[in-house]
Amino acid sequence: MKVSEILTQSTKAFPSIEIVPPLRGITKNELLESIAPFMEFKPKYINVTSHRDEFEYREEVDGSFTKHLVRNRISETTVCAAIMSEYDVEVVPHLICGGNTVEEIQSRLDNMAFLGINNIVALRGDALPGQKHFQPESDGFAHSSELVEMISNLNRGQYLDPTVKQGHSTDFCIGVAAYPEKHFEAANMETDIQHLKQKVEAGAHYIVTQMFFDNEQFFRFVDLCRKAGIGVPIIPGLKPISSK
């Protein structure tokens, strides 16, 4: 079931959860065991975040530098497949522009569609450590609205590869992120909401916010969105407090 359908059909508040894909070295069973305690709450869906691989350049004896992978996580698609094999729950992988070319993003979406995943959260992603601003790949997306548009095109059967004449239309429900306290890169809240509206106009079906720590900020944000003509559902992103 799509997240948009879950939101429409639900008559009362319900929980969903968000997990971070584990670093390499963990087994599938260990992953599933870590999720098991949450399943008693019957979450309607599980978000699986996406993170860029991290590399470092090491100087060799001859003075040259070689690139080495120093930190990577199991892919969000693989984690979703593992969850689907064990639990009867919807999965919502996050897909980021950062670190991916357009063709690589297309490949990830192909794999998700093949597995029967029909929910996705489209994100730009953060800048790498040491970068002042986000830098896309040379053949990548600079804005999440571009990613949303690409997924919307796939839903209409429009593929990047011109040789695909009758591609299967995907059926992704698209979520996007928002910032009740304003994205730190935005000049002001009005500009930030206009960027959000672009994502909705590109095909986003719902919005989920980053964490906020003042409920009034969220309510004010929702009012501003509605006044700007954004009508899709807006889900508050909450983090349970685990210690004083």
Side-chain angles (χ1 to χ4, degrees), residues 179-233:
Y179 303 83
E181 297 172 347
K182 188 184 81 65
H183 192 283
F184 72 94
E185 294 180 12
N188 50 55
M189 182 59 81
E190 291 73 21
T191 301
D192 206 18
I193 289 178
Q194 285 305 309
H195 291 158
L196 177 60
K197 188 175 181 180
Q198 289 176 5
K199 293 188 279 189
V200 174
E201 291 175 343
H205 299 99
Y206 70 96
I207 297 164
V208 58
T209 76
Q210 292 284 14
M211 289 184 294
F212 54 90
F213 303 96
D214 182 345
N215 288 349
E216 287 303 319
Q217 294 271 16
F218 173 76
F219 298 137
R220 188 179 304 116
F221 172 75
V222 173
D223 287 341
L224 290 172
C225 287
R226 300 309 184 215
K227 290 176 181 177
I230 297 173
V232 299

Side-chain angles (χ1 to χ4, degrees), residues 132-204:
K132 289 186 177 180
H133 303 286
F134 173 82
Q135 297 178 10
E137 298 299 301
S138 58
D139 183 22
F141 292 135
H143 305 286
S144 57
S145 57
E146 298 173 289
L147 175 55
V148 173
E149 183 177 7
M150 177 188 190
I151 300 171
S152 296
N153 286 338
L154 286 174
N155 283 346
R156 293 188 286 267
Q158 300 173 9
Y159 284 70
L160 284 174
D161 187 348
T163 64
V164 180
K165 301 299 183 183
Q166 293 181 323
H168 174 71
S169 296
T170 57
D171 193 25
F172 289 116
C173 173
I174 309 167
V176 293
Y179 303 83
E181 297 172 347
K182 188 184 81 65
H183 192 283
F184 72 94
E185 294 180 12
N188 50 55
M189 182 59 81
E190 291 73 21
T191 301
D192 206 18
I193 289 178
Q194 285 305 309
H195 291 158
L196 177 60
K197 188 175 181 180
Q198 289 176 5
K199 293 188 279 189
V200 174
E201 291 175 343

Side-chain angles (χ1 to χ4, degrees), residues 15-33:
S16 64
I17 61 175
E18 179 174 300
I19 66 172
V20 178
L23 292 169
R24 57 187 175 188
I26 193 174
T27 66
K28 173 185 172 183
N29 287 338
E30 288 173 323
L31 169 69
L32 296 176
E33 287 172 3

Side-chain angles (χ1 to χ4, degrees), residues 115-141:
L115 287 170
I117 295 170
N118 57 8
N119 291 292
I120 193 165
V121 173
L123 306 165
R124 186 198 70 175
D126 297 325
L128 287 173
Q131 291 180 345
K132 289 186 177 180
H133 303 286
F134 173 82
Q135 297 178 10
E137 298 299 301
S138 58
D139 183 22
F141 292 135

Side-chain angles (χ1 to χ4, degrees), residues 38-53:
F38 297 100
M39 300 312 294
E40 68 175 280
F41 301 105
K42 296 180 173 56
K44 292 292 184 74
Y45 53 89
I46 298 177
N47 285 277
V48 182
T49 65
S50 180
H51 296 262
R52 297 171 69 170
D53 293 338

